[in-house]
Amino acid sequence: SLPPLSCGGIADAAAIVVEESTSAAGQVLLLGGFDEQGVALSTVHLVDLATGVCMPQAALLDDRLFSAAVRIPDGRVACAGGYGALASAEVWGPPAGGASNAAWTWTQLPAMSVGRYGSCGCVMSDGRFAVLGGRSTGGFTSSCEALMVDRDEHWHSLPPMHHARSVFTCAAVGRCIFVVGGDTASTEVYDEALNRWIRLRCDLPGDRSLEAMGSALSTLNPKP
């Protein structure tokens, strides 16, 4: 088991793995969420999983929980949406024209075309930040959109998924995006080359839906 967090209980925060960690158990960046009193947070903490120590970072521009967050190819962190169907988005990185050791700050990005929470975020093969599904003011949504940070002036629509889904998991592999779960047992994949979603034949076992789960990519070494 891991030690308790020095910053107290935080739920439904977005978590970003810090690959450059020197910690024995690794580090994660926790964005937003809500505290033990149910208050939405804009806090950002760098957490050492070996010790539970939370190091405060620059706060988000908006309180966010159930948001979508990714680390884009240049190392910055992008975050979008959140409870209340937020459409706003922001990116955390070094200030423009600042010194190499200057503290990172949050900068506003163009707002999404659809306010949403419980969506899933991933990085496409060309570096775009994609936000998929979630809940909007009209309920569950299958809509998807993507933004090239610092290049696009607005989000560009992607084809909608076959199933509307919220608090599900997604993973970008090569030029494909896999989505699983939410309030459905279905699975599907977006093929960037074909620009369309394809239903997979393997749904979750037992016709079960799984919500608020995580995912990780692993490299399997089959036995000879």
Side-chain angles (χ1 to χ4, degrees):
S1 62
L2 297 174
L5 302 182
S6 65
C7 45
I10 298 175
D12 296 320
I16 303 291
V17 174
V18 179
E19 296 179 353
E20 301 86 350
S21 170
T22 57
S23 166
Q27 292 177 305
V28 295
L29 198 66
L30 294 183
L31 315 175
F34 65 89
D35 63 16
E36 295 168 313
Q37 286 71 48
V39 177
L41 302 171
S42 62
T43 55
V44 177
H45 291 99
L46 180 62
V47 180
D48 186 329
L49 297 177
T51 63
V53 172
C54 302
M55 296 179 59
Q57 309 295 313
L60 294 160
L61 301 178
D62 291 307
D63 296 336
R64 297 185 189 274
L65 61 148
F66 295 116
S67 61
V70 300
R71 191 172 188 183
I72 58 178
D74 64 8
R76 292 179 296 167
V77 173
C79 187
Y83 188 74
L86 291 178
S88 64
E90 50 190 295
V91 63
W92 186 51
S100 59
N101 61 346
W104 283 25
T105 58
W106 289 94
T107 303
Q108 198 80 46
L109 292 173
M112 295 183 291
S113 62
V114 176
R116 61 183 86 212
Y117 65 97
S119 53
C120 196
C122 64
V123 178
M124 302 177 69
S125 64
D126 59 5
R128 284 180 293 168
F129 173 26
V131 177
L132 319 171
R135 279 192 177 188
S136 65
T137 53
F140 294 128
T141 181
S142 61
S143 72
C144 305
E145 50 191 311
L147 178 81
M148 182 67 80
V149 176
D150 291 340
R151 187 180 304 175
D152 291 339
E153 295 182 358
H154 59 85
W155 292 73
H156 296 274
S157 295
L158 298 173
M161 296 180 288
H162 291 290
H163 295 275
R165 59 184 82 224
S166 179
V167 287
F168 59 103
T169 191
C170 64
V173 184
R175 300 191 66 189
C176 293
I177 300 172
F178 293 84
V179 297
V180 179
D183 55 321
T184 173
S186 68
T187 62
E188 50 189 303
V189 58
Y190 173 70
D191 187 310
E192 293 184 21
L194 299 177
N195 190 34
R196 69 185 182 96
W197 288 92
I198 302 169
R199 292 186 179 93
L200 296 178
R201 297 180 181 179
C202 48
D203 287 349
L204 292 172
D207 293 325
R208 296 180 303 165
S209 61
L210 294 177
E211 298 184 355
M213 58 183 175
S215 66
L217 297 178
S218 63
T219 302
L220 299 178
N221 296 314
K223 295 180 179 180

